[in-house]
Amino acid sequence: MMAESSLRERERLTGRKIPTVIQPVSEFYIAEDYHQKYLLQKQGWLLTELDLEPGEDIVESMVAARLNGYTNGYGSKENFLAEKDSLGLSGKVVEYVVKKIEEQRNRA
């Protein structure tokens, strides 16, 4: 199970037991629109540049999902640069995302 292996890996990396109980999911609920890609939504100009509107646009957008991760410390600069062309981003967006990745890396 992916959740269990992820938990074991995190425990291995931290060297401590994590008191998390993993249970089977019986129902799944989509979060309200204002929770979707929350950190990306705080970067309004970027949404405008990507021609995305809050709501279903963001929920359904693979590009929004990828950029939400990259701009908030999930993913490496190398991975982003390898993927950027397939995302169809402008040079301005690429520069911004690289800058955000570097900022996140410097905070770590």
Side-chain angles (χ1 to χ4, degrees), residues 16 20-21 23 29 38-39 45 48 61 68 71-72 75 78 80 90 95-96 100:
R16 63 184 179 87
T20 298
V21 176
Q23 299 179 329
Y29 299 94
Y38 173 75
L39 296 171
W45 81 268
T48 301
S61 172
N68 188 61
T71 59
N72 293 289
E78 296 73 25
F80 172 70
S90 70
E95 287 177 23
Y96 177 77
K100 294 297 282 184

Side-chain angles (χ1 to χ4, degrees), residues 8 10 15-16 19 21 24 30 35-36 39 42 44 48 59-60 63 68 71 79 81 93 100-101 104 106:
R8 284 192 301 274
R10 183 57 52 188
R16 63 184 179 87
V21 176
I30 300 287
H35 288 298
Q36 298 291 337
L39 296 171
K42 293 171 73 173
T48 301
V59 173
E60 298 295 324
V63 172
N68 188 61
T71 59
N79 287 348
L81 292 174
V93 170
K100 294 297 282 184
I101 291 169
Q104 293 293 334
N106 290 337

Side-chain angles (χ1 to χ4, degrees), residues 13-68:
L13 290 172
T14 62
R16 63 184 179 87
K17 178 83 173 133
I18 298 174
T20 298
V21 176
I22 298 173
Q23 299 179 329
V25 175
S26 58
E27 292 185 52
F28 180 79
Y29 299 94
I30 300 287
E32 293 88 355
D33 289 348
Y34 61 90
H35 288 298
Q36 298 291 337
K37 319 294 188 299
Y38 173 75
L39 296 171
L40 186 65
Q41 287 191 55
K42 293 171 73 173
Q43 302 169 61
W45 81 268
L46 185 54
L47 293 181
T48 301
E49 187 75 20
L50 297 170
D51 195 29
L52 292 172
E53 294 288 330
E56 193 170 327
D57 267 3
I58 290 177
V59 173
E60 298 295 324
S61 172
M62 185 271 299
V63 172
R66 302 302 294 151
L67 295 186
N68 188 61

